[in-house]
C-alpha cells in the first residue's frame, strides 16, 4: 500500500510542476518549496522572492516552482526532474532538502544548485541563509519589555542548529532587558500543522506565558494568541492579518534580492559556488512594522535594529553562559559563524532540555 | 480559569475531529466497505466549509457546506466501488490524493482570508428569539461548575454533535433492526443479498454517512479548531481516524475512549514539554502513537473476540448475481 501511495505522490508531484508558457530560449530558474506557495509563512516568502526574479529579469528568465515537496527521498525526485527539464539554476529552499540537493548536484554537474539554510557545498552547489537570529534578538527584547508574567512561549519545529540559534538569540535579547526572563519551549516536531501549532500555543498560554513566538510556519499560533488576548510574533512572513491587535512584529524573509543577484550571475556566466550568510544589513530579512506596543518599546526595538545593521551590536557577544552554567563566550568575545551554524546547546535561562 | 479546565477543553477540541471522522468510518466499515478516503473527504469538508463561511459570513452555512462536500465526495467513492465495483483500497487512496489536490486548488482563493469561528452552543442559542436568552443563561450558569462545567457547557455545537453521534450510532447498530441489517451486510453480503436485502443501497447510505461525518470533521478543523484555511490542514488526522476504528474494534463507545485517549496524550505531551520535565520531546511526540500500538496489542490478544467484532466482508467488493 505504501508503494502505491508513493507512486501516487510522485504522479501528483509531477502534475504540480507549474510551467508558465514562454519561449524556450529563456534561462530557467527553478524553485523547490516544502510547503505551498500560499502558506502565509516560509514558502510564501520564497515565492515572493521568485516573483521578484520574474519582475526584474522576466525578459531573460522564466521561473518554475514545485510546491509541497516533502523532505526526504521524494525531494530528490522533484529536484532531479527539474534538473532534467532544463533548469539552469535550482534553489532548494528547505533545510531538509540538503542531502537530496547534494546528490542531485553530483548527478547534474552542468546545473547550478543553491540550497537554502544548509551547510554542504560543492563546485556547483552553493548555500545561502539569512541571519534570522538578528531578528529574534530584537523580538526577545520586545518580549521582555511587553511581558507581565516574565515568561515567553516558544513553539519550535525540529532541534536543528537554525532553530536552537533562534531560541538562544531570543533568550539573550530578552535577558538584555530582564536578566530573569524565562523561555518555555515546546517542540511541535513539524514545520506545518496548523492544529498542532494551535494546541502548542494553547498549552503555553495555559502555563502562564503571555508572549508567543514560533519557529513553525502557520498562522495558527497567532490566532490563538489573539483569542487569548496576549501578544505574539509573526514568522517568515508578515502575519498581521491573522492578529491585527496581536502581532508585535515579524521576521520577514526577503529572499528576492539574493535570488535576483544569483540568477543574474548565471546569466552573466559569473556564477560561482558560495556560502552566503547575510543579515539585516544586506536586506535578506526585515522586521515587519513594530505594532501594538508603547512608543518606548518601539524606540528600543528600532534602536537595536539600527545597531545590528551597522554592526555595532552582535547578538552573540559575551559574557554568555551555557545552560549548565559553564562559560561559553568571554566578556566582549563574539561567536564565530562556524560555531553558530552548528549550535547544539542552549544558553542559560532556557527552561527546556534540548532534544539531542 | 483553572488550568485543569483549560486542559480538558483543549483535549476535547483535539479529540472532536478525530471522533467525528472515525464514527462515520466505523459505520462504513460495519457495512463492509473500507473507505481509505477519510483524509480526502475531511480536507474537502474543511475547504468547502471555510469557503462557504467566508463568502456568506455565516459559519452555520459553512458547516452545512462542509457536510455536503463530504457527502458528494463520498458519493464519488460510492459510485466507483459499489456501482462499478473497483478495488476499495486503491479507490480510497486516490480519493485522499484527489481531495488533497482539489482542496488546494479550491482553497487558493481563501488562503489568508480572515476566518469565521463557529460560536459556542450557548452563544448560538442566545440568538434565537424569545427562548434563546434564558436557555443560554442556564448554560452559562452551568459552565460555572468547577472543573467539568466549561468542558460540558461552554463548547461549540460540533462537540455535542460528536457525542450525540456516538450514542446514536451505538443505539442504531446494536438496538435497532436497521442496524442489524447493516451489520449483516458487513458480515456476509452474499447471505444478506440472498435474504432480499439491498446490499448496494445500504452500503451507499453508510458511505454517505461516513462522508457527512468526515466533512463535518473537516468543518470543525477550519471553523472551530483553527478558523483559517491552509493547505493540507487535516495533516494526517483522517489516517488517525482510520486507525482509531480498528483500535476501537468497531465499537462506538471504545471509539469515544480511543479518540479522547489520543487527544489527551497529544495535549499531555505538549504540557510535559512546556513544564520542562526534561523528557526528550521526540519520545513525547511519539507517545500518542505508542499508546495506540499498545492498546491494539492488548485488544488483539483475544483472537476470538476480535474476530467477533470485525466485519467479515470488510473491503470485499460485492457484485450481485455473479
Amino acid at each position: 500500500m505504501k508503494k502505491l501511495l508513493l507512486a501516487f505522490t510522485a504522479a501528483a508531484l509531477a502534475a504540480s510542476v507549474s510551467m508558465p508558457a514562454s519561449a524556450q530560449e529563456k534561462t530557467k530558474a527553478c524553485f523547490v518549496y516544502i510547503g505551498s506557495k500560499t502558506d502565509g509563512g516560509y514558502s510564501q516568502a520564497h515565492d515572493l522572492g521568485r516573483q521578484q526574479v520574474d519582475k526584474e529579469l522576466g525578459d531573460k528568465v522564466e521561473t518554475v516552482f514545485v510546491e509541497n515537496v516533502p523532505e526526504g527521498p521524494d525531494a530528490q525526485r522533484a529536484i532531479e526532474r527539474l534538473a532534467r527539464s532544463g533548469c539552469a539554476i535550482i534553489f532548494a529552499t528547505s533545510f531538509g532538502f540538503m542531502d537530496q540537493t547534494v546528490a542531485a548536484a553530483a548527478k547534474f554537474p552542468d546545473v547550478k544548485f543553491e540550497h537554502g539554510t544548509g551547510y554542504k557545498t560543492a563546485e556547483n552547489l552553493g548555500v545561502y541563509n539569512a541571519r534570522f537570529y538578528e531578528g529574534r534578538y530584537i523580538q526577545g527584547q520586545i518580549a521582555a519589555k511587553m511581558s507581565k508574567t516574565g515568561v515567553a512561549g516558544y513553539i519550535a519545529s525540529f532541534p536543528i542548529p537554525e532553530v536552537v540559534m533562534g531560541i538562544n538569540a531570543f533568550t539573550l535579547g530578552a535577558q538584555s532587558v530582564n536578566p530573569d526572563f524565562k523561555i518555555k519551549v515546546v517542540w511541535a516536531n513539524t514545520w506545518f500543522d496548523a492544529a498542532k501549532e494551535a494546541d502548542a500555543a494553547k498549552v503555553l498560554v495555559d502555563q502562564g506565558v503571555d508572549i508567543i513566538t514560533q519557529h513553525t510556519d502557520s498562522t495558527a499560533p497567532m490566532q490563538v494568541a489573539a483569542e487569548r488576548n496576549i501578544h505574539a510574533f509573526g514568522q517568515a512572513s508578515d502575519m498581521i492579518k491573522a492578529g491585527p491587535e496581536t502581532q508585535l512584529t515579524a521576521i520577514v524573509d526577503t529572499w528576492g534580492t539574493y535570488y535576483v543577484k544569483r540568477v543574474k550571475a548565471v546569466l552573466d556566466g559569473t556564477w560561482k559556488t558560495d556560502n552566503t550568510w547575510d543579515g539585516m544589513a544586506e536586506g535578506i530579512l526585515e522586521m515587519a512594522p513594530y505594532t501594538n506596543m508603547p512608543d518606548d518599546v518601539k524606540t528600543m526595538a528600532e534602536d537595536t535594529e539600527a545597531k545590528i545593521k551597522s554592526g555595532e551590536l552582535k547578538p552573540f557577544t559575551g559574557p554568555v553562559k551555557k545552560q549548565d552554567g559553564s562559560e561559553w563566550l568571554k566578556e566582549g568575545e563574539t561567536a564565530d559563524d562556524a560555531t553558530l551554524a552548528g549550535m547544539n546547546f542552549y544558553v542559560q535561562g532556557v527552561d527546556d532540555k534540548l532534544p539531542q | 480559569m483553572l488550568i485543569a479546565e483549560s486542559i480538558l477543553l483543549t483535549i476535547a477540541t483535539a479529540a472532536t475531529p478525530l471522533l467525528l471522522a472515525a464514527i462515520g468510518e466505523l459505520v462504513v466499515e460495519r457495512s463492509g466497505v473500507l473507505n481509505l478516503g477519510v483524509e480526502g473527504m475531511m480536507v474537502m469538508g474543511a475547504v468547502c466549509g471555510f469557503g462557504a463561511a467566508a463568502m456568506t459570513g455565516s459559519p452555520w452555512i459553512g458547516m452545512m457546506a462542509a457536510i455536503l462536500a463530504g457527502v458528494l465526495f463520498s458519493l464519488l467513492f460510492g459510485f466507483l466501488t459499489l456501482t462499478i465495483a473497483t478495488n476499495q483500497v486503491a479507490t480510497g487512496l486516490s480519493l485522499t490524493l484527489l481531495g488533497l489536490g482539489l482542496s488546494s486548488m479550491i482553497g487558493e482563493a481563501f488562503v489568508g482570508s480572515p476566518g469565521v469561528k463557529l460560536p459556542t452552543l450557548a452563544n448560538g442559542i442566545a440568538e434565537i428569539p424569545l427562548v434563546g436568552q434564558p436557555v443560554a443563561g442556564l448554560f452559562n450558569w452551568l459552565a460555572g461548575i468547577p472543573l467539568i462545567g466549561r468542558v460540558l457547557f461552554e463548547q461549540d455545537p460540533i462537540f455535542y454533535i460528536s457525542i450525540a453521534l456516538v450514542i446514536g450510532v451505538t443505539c442504531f447498530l446494536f438496538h435497532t433492526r436497521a442496524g442489524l441489517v447493516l451489520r449483516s451486510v458487513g458480515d456476509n453480503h452474499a447471505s444478506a443479498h440472498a435474504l432480499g436485502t439491498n446490499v448496494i443501497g445500504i452500503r451507499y447510505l453508510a458511505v454517505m454517512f461516513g462522508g457527512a461525518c468526515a466533512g463535518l470533521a473537516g468543518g470543525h478543523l477550519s471553523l472551530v479548531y483553527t478558523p483559517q484555511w491552509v493547505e493540507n490542514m487535516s495533516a494526517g488526522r483522517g489516517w488517525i481516524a482510520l486507525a482509531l476504528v480498528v483500535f476501537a474494534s468497531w465499537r462506538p463507545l471504545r471509539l469515544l475512549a480511543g479518540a479522547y485517549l489520543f487527544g489527551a496524550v497529544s495535549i499531555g505531551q505538549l504540557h510535559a514539554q512546556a513544564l520542562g520535565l526534561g523528557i526528550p520531546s521526540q519520545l513525547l511526540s511519539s507517545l500518542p502513537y505508542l499508546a495506540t500500538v499498545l492498546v491494539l496489542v492488548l485488544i488483539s490478544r483475544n483472537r476470538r473476540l476480535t474476530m467477533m467484532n470485525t466485519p467479515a466482508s470488510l473491503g470485499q467488493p460485492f457484485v450481485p448475481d455473479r
Side-chain angles (χ1 to χ4, degrees), chain A residues 4 8 36-38 68 184-187 189 192-195 198-200 203 206-207 219-220 223 227 353 355, chain B residues 3 6 10 13 93 97 108 111 117 225-228 230-231 235 237 267 270-271 273-275 278 281-282 285:
Chain A
L4 192 65
F8 274 116
S36 92
K37 69 177 190 328
T38 50
N68 291 320
K184 275 186 187 291
V185 184
V186 167
W187 295 91
N189 284 315
F192 197 86
D193 178 344
D199 285 343
V203 161
D206 287 344
Q207 292 205 6
T219 53
Q223 264 185 338
E227 221 167 80
K353 190 169 179 283
Chain B
I3 183 162
S6 179
T10 315
T13 314
L93 282 175
L97 294 167
E108 199 158 351
V111 172
K117 191 166 181 169
Y225 207 147
T226 50
Q228 57 174 309
V230 285
E231 266 183 40
R237 281 175 184 75
I267 301 302
L270 292 173
H271 270 285
Q273 283 197 44
L275 281 171
S281 71
Q282 293 97 330
S285 296

Side-chain angles (χ1 to χ4, degrees), chain B residues 125 218 295 298 302-303:
Chain B
I125 291 176
V295 176
L298 289 178
N302 190 333
R303 197 162 242 276

